[in-house]
Amino acid sequence: MQLKTLQIVWHGKEPVLSVDFQPNSHTLVSGGQDGEVKVRSQGDAMHGCPGVRFLSSYPVNSKSVNCVRFSPTGDLLASAGDKGEVLLWRFAIAAASGIWRQVGLLRGHCDDVLDLAWAPDGSALLSGGIENNCILWDVDGRKSLKWLQDHGHYVQGVAWDPLGRYIASQLADRTARVYSVKPPPQSCAMSRHVLSGIAVGAVCLAAAAAGTAKQPLFSDDSLPTFFRRLAWSPDGAFLAAPAGVYRAAASAPATSTTHVFSRGDWSSPALSLPCLSKGALVVRFCPQLFRASQQQQQRLTASRLPYRIIMAIASIDSVVLYDMQALEPLAVLGGIHYAAVTDLAWSDDGRYLVVASRDGYCTVCSFEDGELGEPLPL
């Protein structure tokens, strides 16, 4: 594994707020507080250390670009900013080079949009912002399909189930919401589950009906972050929500954690993975699945799956890589930034992980072939 914080001007020394890899490519896009979307290609520089090459930059009519996300096929790019606009971009061949051209504008939000999530078939887009709502968009028709207005605070993260059944949002009011979507998304028929609290410890679940005190699942808005970016595993088996808190007992101190829910079971987290410092802010699963060892297949340990899933969790000042089979950190990346981490991005092949930060820089972590395991087709 090679790790390097690249000392280049990503966004005019302004905070880098979002990063994403184009599917089936090492093209990296970033959005920042300078109001621009920038495109770079990822690769290895001299002496095997990771590096990037600048390709193009596109100013956006906004004070900042809070989120950039490629569609599942990679032919479209969505960006969201501080003025409520959601822009759609498409790659176009021009002369000897290619450029991204703006091809659509989704109007609905009137204030900052903080996060975006694509439907698995690319036909719809979910956006969430500080107006306490989410909007479900028809991408081809450039129109809104559904407004989810039952949120009680800023929507700081959204995620779309890769199997298309659920969408999820996370708020600053100590809750997350999961909606069931009847296919296709245009039907707009939904039901809701609110994740807010659980009984204290697994041993207390049986006594919950007898008045056992419940503890909140998530940190309140005193957590110093503007993003709580939750994520689905690539197979849709798990939903991981950051900014979690856990107490082993009512009088025990709170531990910062990431709660992992098994698909369809929203009664309580299946797992709670501790952070090393001041709260988890962003979760991203590696898109690549890996073959489990023979010993792991026999045990079918934590995740109960016959393959390995790698997850990256970013806190304010560190990133932890977890193996969902062993539930032990594969690596801890600490002391890499002077300000809070804002986003994470994996390349489709699992070779690169990029960490964005408010200090204006990005860290690139590269893995050698087979270092994370033997790849499996999804």
Side-chain angles (χ1 to χ4, degrees):
M1 180 178 70
Q2 296 283 343
L3 180 71
K4 186 175 183 180
T5 301
L6 303 181
Q7 301 297 310
I8 62 175
V9 178
W10 287 83
H11 285 273
K13 296 186 179 180
E14 295 291 334
V16 184
L17 301 178
S18 185
V19 287
D20 199 31
F21 273 104
Q22 186 178 25
N24 303 312
S25 169
H26 287 163
T27 297
L28 176 70
V29 66
S30 63
Q33 201 163 302
D34 62 346
E36 293 192 355
V37 173
K38 296 192 176 183
V39 183
R40 294 175 170 86
S41 63
Q42 181 65 58
D44 291 333
M46 296 179 61
H47 309 298
C49 292
V52 295
R53 179 170 62 91
F54 176 80
L55 297 178
S56 54
S57 179
Y58 307 97
V60 176
N61 184 25
S62 177
K63 292 181 291 185
S64 68
V65 179
N66 299 323
C67 187
V68 286
R69 292 289 183 261
F70 280 105
S71 65
T73 57
D75 60 330
L76 285 175
L77 171 69
S79 67
D82 267 2
K83 292 185 178 180
E85 75 274 16
V86 178
L87 303 179
L88 299 176
W89 308 77
R90 188 183 297 276
F91 190 73
I93 302 297
S97 62
I99 61 173
W100 289 87
R101 294 187 182 277
Q102 184 181 330
V103 295
L105 172 62
L106 305 179
R107 298 182 181 273
H109 293 283
C110 297
D111 215 330
D112 303 6
V113 180
L114 301 183
D115 207 11
L116 299 169
W118 284 90
D121 63 357
S123 66
L125 183 70
L126 179 66
S127 60
I130 68 172
E131 302 163 295
N132 303 357
N133 61 43
C134 293
I135 303 178
L136 188 66
W137 302 95
D138 174 9
V139 174
D140 292 335
R142 308 289 194 265
K143 62 182 180 181
S144 61
L145 295 170
K146 183 80 173 180
W147 288 62
L148 308 179
Q149 298 178 300
D150 56 340
H151 299 80
H153 212 298
Y154 298 165
V155 180
Q156 296 182 307
V158 292
W160 203 309
D161 167 24
L163 303 184
R165 174 69 188 276
Y166 300 107
I167 58 177
S169 60
Q170 189 161 358
L171 291 71
D173 65 352
R174 314 190 86 159
T175 66
R177 284 167 165 74
V178 179
Y179 299 83
S180 299
V181 183
K182 294 182 179 180
Q186 287 78 357
S187 69
C188 299
M190 297 184 179
S191 60
R192 188 191 71 182
H193 308 271
V194 180
L195 313 180
S196 58
I198 59 173
V200 181
V203 295
C204 298
L205 290 177
T212 301
K214 289 191 174 183
Q215 298 294 331
L217 274 177
F218 304 105
S219 301
D220 58 22
D221 56 7
S222 63
L223 184 66
T225 177
F226 218 49
F227 303 110
R228 302 187 185 198
R229 287 174 162 153
L230 68 175
W232 290 89
S233 61
D235 60 349
F238 300 105
L239 172 66
V245 292
Y246 173 79
R247 284 184 172 89
S251 59
T255 300
S256 297
T257 184
T258 294
H259 294 305
V260 182
F261 294 85
S262 293
R263 179 182 184 84
D265 182 6
W266 315 119
S267 58
S268 63
L271 307 167
S272 293
L273 303 178
C275 300
L276 299 180
S277 57
K278 306 174 182 177
L281 311 181
V282 184
V283 181
R284 290 296 285 269
F285 286 89
C286 178
Q288 178 67 62
L289 300 178
F290 299 95
R291 187 180 303 278
S293 66
Q294 185 175 2
Q295 182 181 9
Q296 287 174 325
Q297 288 179 340
Q298 291 172 350
R299 288 186 302 169
L300 284 180
T301 54
S303 70
R304 310 295 300 173
L305 296 174
Y307 45 79
R308 295 171 55 239
I309 302 174
I310 306 300
M311 175 174 58
I313 302 175
S315 64
I316 292 177
D317 56 3
S318 63
V319 178
V320 181
L321 301 185
Y322 273 102
D323 181 347
M324 293 292 291
Q325 280 283 1
L327 293 187
E328 296 177 352
L330 292 176
V332 178
L333 316 179
I336 54 178
H337 289 285
Y338 293 105
V341 172
T342 56
D343 206 1
L344 299 169
W346 286 93
S347 61
D348 261 8
D349 56 6
R351 185 178 175 187
Y352 295 106
L353 171 66
V354 174
V355 184
S357 171
R358 295 193 65 88
D359 63 9
Y361 296 99
C362 292
T363 295
V364 180
C365 185
S366 65
F367 302 92
E368 297 179 0
D369 292 341
E371 186 173 357
L372 293 178
E374 180 184 350
L376 283 177
L378 183 60

